[in-house]
Amino acid sequence: MGLRACLLGLLALILSGECNYSPEPDQQRTPPPGWVSLGRADPEEELSLTFALRQQNLERLSELVQAVSDPSSPHYGKYLTLEDVAELVRPSPLTLLTVQKWLLAAGAQNCYSVTTQDFLTCWLTVRQAELLLSGSEFHHYVGRPAKTHVIRSPRPYQLPQALAPHVDFVGGLHRFPPRSFLKQRPGPQVAGGIGLHLGVTPSVIRKRYNLTASDVGSGTSNNSQACAQFLEQYFHDSDLVKFMHLFGGKFAHQASVTRVVGQQGRGRAGIEASLDVQYLMSAGANISTWVYSSPGRHEGQEPFLQWLLLLSNESAPPHVHTVSYGDDEDSLSNAYLQRVNTEFKKAAARGLTLLFASGDSGAGCWSVSGRHQFRPSFPASSPYVTTVGGTCFQNPFLITNEIVDYISGGGFSNVFPRPSYQEEAVAQFLSSSPHLPPSSYFNASGRAYPDVAALSDGYWVVSNSIPIPWVSGTSASTPVFGGLLSLINEHRILSGRPPLGFLNPRLYQQRGAGLFDVTHGCHESCLNEEVEGQGFCSGAGWDPVTGWGTPNFPALLKTLLNP
Ligand SMILES: *[C@@H]1O[C@H](CO)[C@@H](O)[C@H](O)[C@H]1NC(C)=O
Ligand SMILES: *[C@@H]1O[C@H](CO)[C@@H](O)[C@H](O)[C@H]1NC(C)=O
Ligand SMILES: *[C@@H]1O[C@H](CO)[C@@H](O)[C@H](O)[C@H]1NC(C)=O
Ligand SMILES: *[C@@H]1O[C@H](CO)[C@@H](O)[C@H](O)[C@H]1NC(C)=O
Ligand SMILES: CC(=O)N[C@H]1CO[C@H](CO)[C@@H](O)[C@@H]1O
């Protein structure tokens, strides 16, 4: 492709004396709904761009991830340190030199690297950036939810051909901040009056997942957990205090977040951030909790990328990370998807557990050349993260069996092939599901998700001192599942074992042992409007709606404690 672009650019070469290539020709550049352009940016304005430098030894990295995450391997749990990972993937001296020289010549000031040296974030003026990234043109945009301002280029950029072996992509010019998978939707109402729907609180979560008052962190293990926030989502410790007072019940918990990495602005609290903090700290009760906060306010910044950089720059981060955000897989360039997936491998090699929400539109829907298809989301579709789907109570007035929450994201990646760990489970589902949608709607060869699930309907949250009902979405199930894994890590660490790390190889090998198998219900998709039927339906065993199911804590602890 580089060669073709180069030949096609022959005329440009003659005119400009340079030959360029496009690292991300397939990246969507139109702003998502809710964002509007305010016109071109001032040439003297400053913005930050992130350069993803080509890494080395990526095959070796994949092998190591497999070895440390597979319980039958002699290397299970023998995680790499950040320094080991840096040693492995660090770009070659030629790459480092070539990129530095190019940036210096363009007048880039204040470049910051990370421990693994595979990213560089630099501050430039708009004028410098437009010269550096040929074709780019920076505009201001304002958008949801908090009238966030960003600078983005609606036009594609090119790099000099000489950089093709050294740069994967440039961040900070096309992608808008990812979407949160939170929904607010009223539950069932009793005819003629006030809804008596149960509403999910920490006591309901702890009761349903069979936690006792003694299933809390001991405070002696240096164990910790984290959630990541983007788009000016802040939390308030005072909301946590009020939340625990109103809804907490009888279990020990921490009164405040232990550490904020990045910037926590002083603005109003966001519902997403409040939800994540309050339920991560209720399920993973009394465990030290960090919040990664990448506000996405600073011009040019790409907050999700910012979070990945923070992970590569922190030698002792928490063991479990939950992220309730994502994008449509098809809106992201292949270069970006592959590189972010590699970042997840780096985390897996270090024994970090990354949990992502599976989405909020079931199988999803979009039109490709006039034909409807399901629409996977990313990072949910990455084979190197654990993806969490959503359930609700079968009887909304009782803490009993869970069934599918119809919004639960699930399906098959169009980019990442099915990983070997889920080969058997997915083949079994495809050959036995009685309600399979037509095969033209999904790519059966792709990575299938979610892997697990938890309640996602009707949560109570306290935000800006106000109790808020009906908070829903896989945004809620993800921190709950994360908190429970942290409790299991607590037992593992106290008994001298390594933390769980990347869970999927183990989860599928044990065929979902310790989880409640959700077998009722289907999620939504385009088929609802078009023909009769739904997206996928849950059934016995793994399915692309609720994965292996929801946690039964004592059973899960038993099956995940050894080795
Ligand atoms: C990574 O950490 C180092 C040392 O703390 C710091 O100087 C550098 O700015 C950080 N990099 C980024 C991209 O924030
Ligand atoms: C909760 O954690 C604190 C330390 O943060 C510890 O002192 C306390 O004993 C823990 N509570 C329980 C019930 O284990
Ligand atoms: C289906 O998924 C595979 C990866 O598993 C990918 O290579 C292929 O391009 C996808 N097909 C379509 C039509 O998206
Ligand atoms: C909790 O335990 C009860 C009683 O054993 C069981 O019926 C229920 O399914 C368990 N919860 C989950 C989520 O498995
Ligand atoms: C993840 C975590 O909380 N790590 C901490 C473990 O303890 C050391 C030393 O007290 C801290 O520096 C780490 O931050």
Side-chain angles (χ1 to χ4, degrees):
M1 190 201 79
L3 183 63
R4 212 175 79 193
C6 200
L7 290 174
L8 288 173
L10 205 59
L11 187 63
L13 173 78
I14 293 160
L15 294 177
S16 73
E18 221 184 339
C19 187
N20 290 331
Y21 80 107
S22 302
E24 302 184 83
D26 49 344
Q27 174 62 47
Q28 181 186 301
R29 297 183 307 273
T30 48
W35 290 87
V36 290
S37 170
L38 301 176
R40 278 195 77 162
D42 186 317
E44 296 315 316
E45 237 176 290
E46 294 221 309
L47 59 84
S48 74
L49 295 172
T50 296
F51 301 87
L53 275 55
R54 187 70 39 85
Q55 298 152 314
Q56 303 191 91
N57 302 315
L58 295 182
E59 278 193 17
R60 180 78 190 121
L61 179 65
S62 302
E63 289 163 17
L64 285 167
V65 170
Q66 175 63 26
V68 299
S69 317
D70 175 356
S72 64
S73 151
H75 298 284
Y76 180 67
K78 299 198 171 124
Y79 302 126
L80 279 69
T81 63
L82 178 61
E83 289 64 31
D84 295 336
V85 172
E87 203 59 44
L88 194 67
V89 305
R90 176 182 298 141
S92 72
L94 179 63
T95 293
L96 292 171
L97 195 70
T98 309
V99 176
Q100 271 160 14
K101 262 166 73 179
W102 172 63
L103 288 171
L104 212 59
Q109 304 273 320
N110 307 327
C111 291
Y112 304 91
S113 190
V114 292
T115 308
T116 44
Q117 289 183 271
D118 44 4
F119 285 111
L120 267 178
T121 296
C122 301
W123 286 90
L124 297 116
T125 63
V126 165
R127 185 198 309 280
Q128 288 169 331
E130 288 180 355
L131 282 173
L132 189 71
L133 308 170
S134 138
S136 67
E137 187 183 284
F138 288 89
H139 292 241
H140 277 277
Y141 292 86
V142 63
R144 40 158 220 188
K147 297 225 186 312
T148 309
H149 280 258
V150 298
I151 295 185
R152 289 293 187 275
S153 171
R155 301 172 57 149
Y157 68 99
Q158 294 197 321
L159 300 180
Q161 187 65 50
L163 287 176
H166 306 300
V167 176
D168 287 337
F169 70 86
V170 183
L173 33 43
H174 291 330
R175 280 165 292 273
F176 284 75
R179 225 170 61 232
S180 141
F181 291 136
L182 176 143
K183 293 210 156 174
Q184 272 188 285
R185 39 165 197 191
Q189 306 276 309
V190 172
I194 311 142
L196 293 175
H197 179 262
L198 190 59
V200 175
T201 62
S203 331
V204 171
I205 291 287
R206 294 181 67 89
K207 183 162 180 212
R208 170 61 192 156
Y209 298 135
N210 293 323
L211 293 158
T212 67
S214 61
D215 292 319
V216 297
S218 65
T220 59
S221 64
N222 200 25
N223 185 15
S224 62
Q225 56 189 0
C227 62
Q229 301 301 329
F230 313 102
L231 252 185
E232 301 194 44
Q233 277 279 339
Y234 308 127
F235 70 94
H236 294 165
D237 273 329
S238 58
D239 286 341
L240 178 67
V241 171
K242 184 158 185 181
F243 172 80
M244 289 298 186
H245 177 72
L246 287 175
F247 304 117
K250 292 193 188 68
F251 61 91
H253 56 81
Q254 302 216 333
S256 60
V257 164
T258 305
R259 189 172 153 197
V260 176
V261 187
Q263 282 160 300
Q264 149 87 356
R266 262 167 290 160
R268 285 171 58 77
I271 301 183
E272 177 69 63
S274 307
L275 170 75
D276 292 356
V277 165
Q278 288 161 20
Y279 283 90
L280 186 58
M281 294 180 77
S282 299
N286 213 32
I287 290 173
S288 154
T289 303
W290 297 19
V291 174
Y292 281 81
S293 183
S294 309
R297 161 174 280 177
H298 291 283
E299 310 299 13
Q301 201 179 54
E302 209 174 299
F304 186 77
L305 202 52
Q306 205 68 21
W307 172 68
L308 289 174
L309 264 70
L310 288 170
L311 283 189
S312 274
N313 211 23
E314 177 77 60
S315 60
H319 302 304
V320 171
H321 297 257
T322 82
V323 186
S324 297
Y325 297 78
D327 285 306
D328 295 325
E329 191 187 59
D330 56 85
S331 72
L332 302 165
S333 73
N334 191 54
Y336 174 85
L337 289 166
Q338 299 299 340
R339 175 58 189 261
V340 171
N341 198 46
T342 299
E343 296 306 305
F344 296 152
K345 286 189 213 178
K346 283 164 60 184
R350 299 164 67 190
L352 306 182
T353 304
L354 305 186
L355 296 170
F356 280 87
S358 72
D360 62 0
S361 328
C365 186
W366 68 311
S367 187
V368 190
S369 1
R371 288 182 54 187
H372 279 147
Q373 273 184 21
F374 295 158
R375 188 170 212 178
S377 60
F378 180 83
S381 71
S382 164
Y384 288 94
V385 303
T386 298
T387 303
V388 187
T391 62
C392 53
F393 286 121
Q394 184 158 29
N395 178 338
F397 305 97
L398 293 174
I399 305 175
T400 52
N401 279 357
E402 287 157 83
I403 57 171
V404 169
D405 183 347
Y406 67 94
I407 54 93
S408 180
F412 293 75
S413 173
N414 286 313
V415 175
F416 301 103
R418 188 191 300 170
S420 59
Y421 62 73
Q422 63 171 202
E423 191 60 55
E424 197 188 318
V426 177
Q428 168 80 27
F429 168 81
L430 288 172
S431 67
S432 67
S433 175
H435 313 284
L436 218 50
S439 61
S440 61
Y441 279 80
F442 66 101
N443 188 338
S445 72
R447 143 58 160 156
Y449 67 93
D451 304 298
V452 293
L455 285 163
S456 57
D457 186 34
Y459 280 58
W460 280 97
V461 171
V462 173
S463 201
N464 301 298
S465 302
I466 299 166
I468 298 175
W470 315 129
V471 178
S472 301
T474 51
S475 272
S477 43
T478 307
V480 165
F481 206 95
L484 293 185
L485 290 183
S486 285
L487 287 180
I488 294 173
N489 273 342
E490 182 83 11
H491 286 266
R492 290 181 58 89
I493 295 165
L494 290 177
S495 60
R497 293 179 181 82
L500 287 166
F502 174 45
L503 191 62
N504 291 9
R506 179 164 186 163
L507 186 70
Y508 284 80
Q509 232 172 67
Q510 300 184 343
R511 303 191 56 78
L515 297 166
F516 171 84
D517 189 4
V518 179
T519 56
H520 279 79
C522 308
H523 63 186
E524 61 181 341
S525 76
C526 358
L527 289 174
N528 290 346
E529 298 144 35
E530 258 197 357
V531 291
E532 254 181 78
Q534 283 90 10
F536 297 100
C537 295
S538 68
W542 179 90
D543 54 68
V545 192
T546 55
W548 289 107
T550 65
N552 181 5
F553 182 73
L556 195 60
L557 173 62
K558 205 168 151 208
T559 160
L560 292 181
L561 193 54
N562 293 304

